[in-house]
Amino acid sequence: MHKPMLLAVLMLALTASCIRLLSVNAALEEVNVVVNKSNTIGPLSREEVRRIFMGEKSSWPGGKRITVLMLAPDQPERGVILRELFKMNDSDYTKYFLQAAFTGRVQSAPKELATGAQMKARLMANQNAIGYLLAKDVDDNIRVVLKLP
Amino acid sequence: MVNFAKEAITSRNRSRRVRVYGSALALLLTLGSVAPASTRADDPPHEAERDALLRMNEQIQELQAKVKELEARLNGVTEGTSHGGVEGSAPASASDVTPPPPATPSVAQESQENNAGPSVKLRMFGDVGYKVSDQKGQANSFHIGTLDLFMTSTLTDRFSVLGEVLFTPLGDNSIGVDVERLLLQYKHNDYFTFGIGRYHSSIGYYNTAFHQGAWFQTTVDRPFMYAFDDHGGFLPLQEVGATINGQIPSGKLGLNYVAEIGNGRAHLLGSDPAQNFQDTNNGKSFNFALYSRPRWLPGLQMGFSIYHDYLTFSDNINHGELISTVHVVYTNSNYEFLNEGMLVRHTGSITGAPGVFHTPGFYTQFSRRFGKYRPYFRYSYVNAGVAEPIYGDPADGPIVGRRNGPTLGLRYDLNDHAAFKLQYDRLAQRGQTSFNALETQFSFAF
């Protein structure tokens, strides 16, 4: 292979590495736990959010049932939530809610949505919902209650 | 015409360029994962190419976002058709993701989410295996375990129902059908849930942590003290009655309570231990359990339970029964360390003369996960006296006696819904020869 061509390939490889690095950084981007804009709940601690997502706390202070929303397993934000809140991987998460339903401890597992856009739409529509979005996707239509990690 | 031809050429050039860039991008991504980084990124011609690639990357991301948005809209159209029916109860996997809402938020959607009509969530559990043993009179056998149909349904925002039907192989090779649980629950809030029906009593930890599905538990079988009645169990693990439970506002202590009242367990030979329809006496069983899940150490649970009942037999002799348990368990994704102790106190005697008899028991179980493998160890012990009025009288059911021994095994999770277990047991019993057993089990949830 000619030297200039080799250099060109190396340069392009470097570019590709940069692009991959950028995408990895996107995956590590801040994830915000968010609720409906009309929800008056104050900022929540990590422990409070963990209890809500694990089904240990099922209603808001006013008594309304909390609707917990999760993204599908292929979404990077879900990894942050599982790691930071559940301290579980996807298999453990599945088993946890299956067992929780089996014991009658939890009546239903979190609703799962395919994309962040769906999550946002659901959060805007449901006053009792709690979910999470990448920080860059958060706007004035929803309210942030916790920033992760 | 000229414009059309020009456009066609431009289009062809563009598609060729896309193909070239696409191929280059694929090559780069491959190389990028193995090639060392270069420091010559400031070379002008390559800088231009890098810019082009970055633009392409942005365009790809935009296109991906548009595709996702279109998928969301498409799914939104189909959402209205998916009401009721039978669903899985576990968190949905990627393939059975909840259909998304319309892009425009609506109040109707919230209403639909919270007030959708009842639907049944069905799950099934089962297990099969093979057991070899050097116990006298026991032939090595293939066997099927219990086929467990588990159903839940949310009737309203606060009412739900839970049902569990078992198809259990019996000692005479027949299959018995059993309504293991049927419980109507009202959840007022996290501090108060009321249930009525047939349920697993909250005696200790294991009974309500694992229930019937063999797939849930690490080991092949339950510890002696928590064996179900069709496996020689002696505790009132199933109850027909009413239960309340919930959290106790206690900050970081994480206290929870359970209080139950029910028919108790029948010990008459030949009768079903769970008194589904008719109690043998007017005295009801009471059970109270208190446990803590401290927030400063997720996975830790400590607690106790106290159960009391009067047992009446055909000779009309009443025996008081008091069952106390304590437990300290720690579980997380990798570790499982279960420790429980019990003391059963029976009053009266076989002859009717006054007397007090204590039956102690405990087990300790430890397991550690290494990827898909989870080796485990357990030691179980229970010791009921020979003159024990309930556990020592063959007219009142199987003799409990003394049983103790270690269990050693390995669980291998084939995937998220199936596991293979290999278990060795050595069991010593009062008045009988100790024996060894090796058992395999495939357990699954679907």
Side-chain angles (χ1 to χ4, degrees), chain B residues 344-364:
Chain B
V344 181
R345 180 180 184 272
H346 283 143
T347 56
S349 67
I350 295 171
T351 58
V356 176
F357 298 84
H358 291 101
T359 300
F362 74 89
Y363 78 92
T364 181

Side-chain angles (χ1 to χ4, degrees), chain B residues 230-297:
Chain B
D230 44 11
H231 286 88
F234 52 88
L235 290 181
L237 302 180
Q238 292 123 327
E239 189 69 270
V240 177
T243 173
I244 56 170
N245 62 75
Q247 299 169 17
I248 299 173
S250 50
K252 291 187 175 182
L253 265 180
L255 289 176
N256 291 259
Y257 72 93
V258 183
E260 297 167 343
I261 178 171
N263 288 338
R265 172 176 169 147
H267 282 273
L268 289 171
L269 199 61
S271 64
D272 193 316
Q275 303 183 93
N276 296 308
F277 191 70
Q278 186 71 52
D279 198 348
T280 52
N281 58 26
N282 284 324
K284 295 296 160 226
S285 69
F286 295 93
N287 185 43
F288 178 74
L290 188 71
Y291 59 89
S292 165
R293 287 181 179 151
R295 292 187 193 153
W296 41 267
L297 185 54

Side-chain angles (χ1 to χ4, degrees), chain A residues 7-8 11-12 14-16 47 51 56-58 65 91-92 99 101-103 107 112 118 122 125-126, chain B residues 28 38 40-41 49-50 92 98-100 109 113 150 157 160 164 181 190 208-209 216 247 295 333 369 416:
Chain A
L7 285 174
M11 287 301 299
L12 293 172
L14 172 66
T15 311
E47 173 60 20
R51 292 185 63 225
E56 293 173 10
K57 180 176 169 59
S58 63
R65 189 60 50 89
S91 296
D92 294 332
Q99 192 157 13
F102 198 60
T103 58
Q107 289 178 359
E112 294 206 342
Q118 289 177 30
R122 212 35 101 88
N126 189 335
Chain B
L28 289 173
S38 167
R40 304 178 69 177
E49 268 191 52
R50 188 182 60 180
T98 306
Q109 184 199 327
E113 228 171 49
F150 176 69
D157 195 30
S160 65
E164 188 178 9
R181 286 188 284 169
D190 294 328
T208 51
F216 285 114
Q247 299 169 17
R295 292 187 193 153
S333 293
R369 185 169 79 174
D416 287 349

Side-chain angles (χ1 to χ4, degrees), chain A residues 96-135:
Chain A
Y96 172 82
F97 275 104
L98 192 53
Q99 192 157 13
F102 198 60
T103 58
R105 201 169 67 238
V106 172
Q107 289 178 359
S108 59
K111 292 177 190 299
E112 294 206 342
L113 305 168
T115 66
Q118 289 177 30
M119 171 77 85
K120 195 170 176 179
R122 212 35 101 88
L123 283 161
M124 288 164 64
N126 189 335
Q127 293 180 349
N128 302 314
I130 186 167
Y132 51 87
L133 290 169
L134 288 174

